Structures are given as structure tokens and as C-alpha cells.
Amino acid sequence: MGAVPLQVTMNARPYLHGPEAEALTEALQAGQYGHSAIVDRFEQAIADYLGVPDMVAVASGTAALQLALTTAGVAPGHEVIVPSQTFCASIHAILATGAHPRFVEINPDTLCTDAANVRDALTPKTRAIVPVLYGGRAVDLSTLHDELTRQRITIVEDAAHAFGSHCKDTFVGARPGVLTCFSFGPIKNLTCGTGGGIIPRTPPEAQELRTLRALGIVQSQTQRAATTSYTVQEFGLRATMSALNAAIGLAQLEHFEKVAAKRQELWRTYADGLHALDGVRLVDVDIDHTVPFNCVIHLTDRDRVFAALRASGLGVGVHYPPNHHQPAFKHWHRPLPVTERSARQLMSLPFHPSMNRDDVQYVLSALARSLATETP
Ligand SMILES: Cc1ncc(COP(=O)(O)O)c(C=O)c1O
């Protein structure tokens, strides 16, 4: 084999279509870097794309989760059900509200939680559930909706990976009764550089989120500019999205379909090649409905293969070490045997839209060679 192709040395990277640079320059020259009309336009464009009435743009996916949980009434004394198999941001967002996480098991084939696992984890303190749409796959908890509504429990879904995915025929973000949180971070399906967004369930909820993201000030930026005062109605954060990030997001959205198709094609190419490899199990993202964020496999000899591939220059990764074993979250540890077994076997393959089929074949060949090498 020759030199490692550049694209497979990275596990993930942003994909730029071209117009982002011009959009960013225009926004820089416009001179309003905080909330501006560009952010309003980005919010409307995302809402239109998903076919929903509104979207509230915020500074990050983590902020989106924290603000959505707060708006759902999550507060000290409450528990929030969340899989341990997620990025630590999901857990920090819960702790930021003063509530505690209650870690829940996943289905090892999808790395997502499901209705049965969630039902088992409910306690009288449960106030919200944060299903994580791992890899972009939708999580359908609709069989629990009536029960959850009766108990005043809100579903705040962590759709950081899932912009553009569907649950059956409906866009993630467009299902009634669910507060959906997206990340528009650097390597997400749609990037703003950094950023996040919440799909509110009602107009009052949207208003509340806009107040919370702007330091509790009820007047909009435009209203504030035209008056001698403003009202700080309640607690709030500085969590607005910058116009610079919104400008990048608007330029990205124009070409999103291309990226979505590319991600699906790459994932399918991996799936076709991985069939032939013994001892490798692909995490199932429900590809026909999903814009995949990553391509993740289980393999029994993970640590050895991971080290060998990294040593040969391949950008393999592990997403994510389980949170219930992290020192910061140890207080809420409980045994999760399925998560623990799965976590020892996970490996993410290089996956981003700048790759092509040859890059995928290169990774597959390197993986096959590494699997064929005996453990010393
Ligand atoms: C599953 C998950 N949730 C939440 C987040 C937080 O998003 P952000 O980085 O935009 O704050 C991430 C970011 O990688 C994530 O992967």
C-alpha cells in the first residue's frame, strides 16, 4: 500500500461548499456580530426546511439541551433519563439545570435507547427524558407518549447527530410533542462553525427560549435598540447564536441535500464492504431514514485493532467512552452491562463528506489486514 490518503487520516471534518467564505465576509462587514437579522433568517430557513413553524438558534448543542430542559421545567430535585452512551455534553446540560442524570441502557445494535429501557428507568422524580439520536438514527418513544404526558414528563431529544434524518416519514424535529435539540458544531451534518437549535413545541415555548438565551431580557434586539430601557424578566444565559455562525449555516443549508446524499452513499459503501469481514458488526443507523453522522463498528479485539490502525495513520476513533464511568458523573453510576460490553468494542471509522469510495476501500483493506493479524 502507498501513502495513506489524506482524507482517511481524519475521523471527521467539516465540509465546505464554497459560498460560506463570502457569506462570512458579508456578515463580518455588516458589523453586527451578536444576534442580527441573519440569525432570524437562519431560524426561518431551518424551520422551512423541516416544515415546522419555528426554530430557536443558540450558541451550541449543549446550550440547546440546557435551555430546552429548563423550559420543560427541569430543576433541582428532578431526574432526567439519558443513555450513558453519548457525548458528555448531554450529561452536563442536565447537571446545569440542577437536576440529576439517571443513566439508561441502550440497544447494542443501534446504540440508542428505546421505550422498554426508558420505562424501566422511570422513577417518581423523572421530569424529562433525553433520548440520544446516536449516529443520526431517530428514536421513537411514541408508545410512551400518553404515559409520559400523564406524568408531566417531557421528551427533550438530543438530535446533535441527526439533522436531516427522519422518523418514519417525518423529519426529526417535526414530530409533535417532542422538544428537539440540534448541534450545528464543526463536524455535524450541518455546520455553522459552532451553534445549536431548538424546535419549540408552542409559540410561548419559543418566546421563553428566546428570553432564556438572551440573559432573561424579554425585548428583542431590535426592540431594545429603540427604547431607553429593557426588562430582565428571569434568569437567562448569554447563549445567542452569533450572526457569523448563522451566515455559515445559511450557506450550508442551501447545499444540504448534496451532503445528505454523500453521507448515505459513504455509509452504504462501508456497509457493503464490512459484510465480508468476520468479527465486525456495523452499528445500524436505519440508513433509509437517516443522514448518518458517523460509521461505527463493534469488534471484539477493539483495542489491538484501534492501536494498529492509528499507528498506520488512519483516523479511527471511539465515540464515546460511557459516561457512568466518568469521574465527574460517578455519583450517578449504576450497572449498565449492555452499555459496558458494547463500549469495550466500539470503533468509529473515518467518515466525512470529503471522502470518496476509494478512501472507504482503503479503510476496509487496512481493517481487513489488521483483523487477519494474529494477536501476539
Ligand atoms: C450526542 C451529542 N450531544 C450533544 C453535543 C453537544 O453539541 P455542541 O458541541 O454543539 O455543544 C454533541 C457534540 O458533539 C454530541 O455529539
Side-chain angles (χ1 to χ4, degrees), residues 35-68:
H35 183 94
S36 83
I38 302 179
V39 182
D40 295 338
R41 270 180 24 230
F42 178 62
E43 290 184 334
Q44 196 53 57
I46 294 282
D48 290 348
Y49 183 81
L50 298 177
V52 296
D54 203 357
M55 188 279 271
V56 179
V58 291
S60 67
T62 312
L65 286 165
Q66 183 187 345
L67 298 193

Side-chain angles (χ1 to χ4, degrees), residues 59-65 85-91 93 130 132-135 158-161 181-188 193-197 293 319-320:
S60 67
T62 312
L65 286 165
Q85 179 50 65
T86 179
F87 187 46
C88 61
S90 321
I91 320 304
V130 175
V132 176
L133 282 58
Y134 187 96
D158 181 341
H161 297 179
C181 299
F182 293 114
S183 165
F184 302 122
I187 56 166
K188 296 304 186 313
T194 184
F293 167 66
H319 303 95
Y320 305 93

Side-chain angles (χ1 to χ4, degrees), residues 254-295:
E254 293 259 320
H255 302 274
F256 181 69
E257 293 299 321
K258 198 171 120 196
V259 158
K262 186 70 196 275
R263 283 181 173 274
Q264 285 190 317
E265 183 208 320
L266 285 175
W267 195 94
R268 288 192 169 106
T269 309
Y270 265 129
D272 288 348
L274 287 166
H275 274 312
L277 300 185
D278 282 343
V280 173
R281 200 157 43 85
L282 178 60
V283 171
D284 182 8
V285 296
D286 182 18
I287 192 63
D288 291 340
H289 296 100
T290 297
V291 179
F293 167 66
N294 54 13
C295 182

Side-chain angles (χ1 to χ4, degrees), residues 44-110:
Q44 196 53 57
I46 294 282
D48 290 348
Y49 183 81
L50 298 177
V52 296
D54 203 357
M55 188 279 271
V56 179
V58 291
S60 67
T62 312
L65 286 165
Q66 183 187 345
L67 298 193
L69 287 164
T70 302
T71 305
V74 174
H78 293 145
E79 278 180 359
V80 177
I81 293 176
V82 63
S84 172
Q85 179 50 65
T86 179
F87 187 46
C88 61
S90 321
I91 320 304
H92 283 301
I94 294 166
L95 292 178
T97 67
H100 292 163
R102 180 161 171 80
F103 291 116
V104 69
E105 277 289 23
I106 47 166
N107 175 332
D109 296 332
T110 65

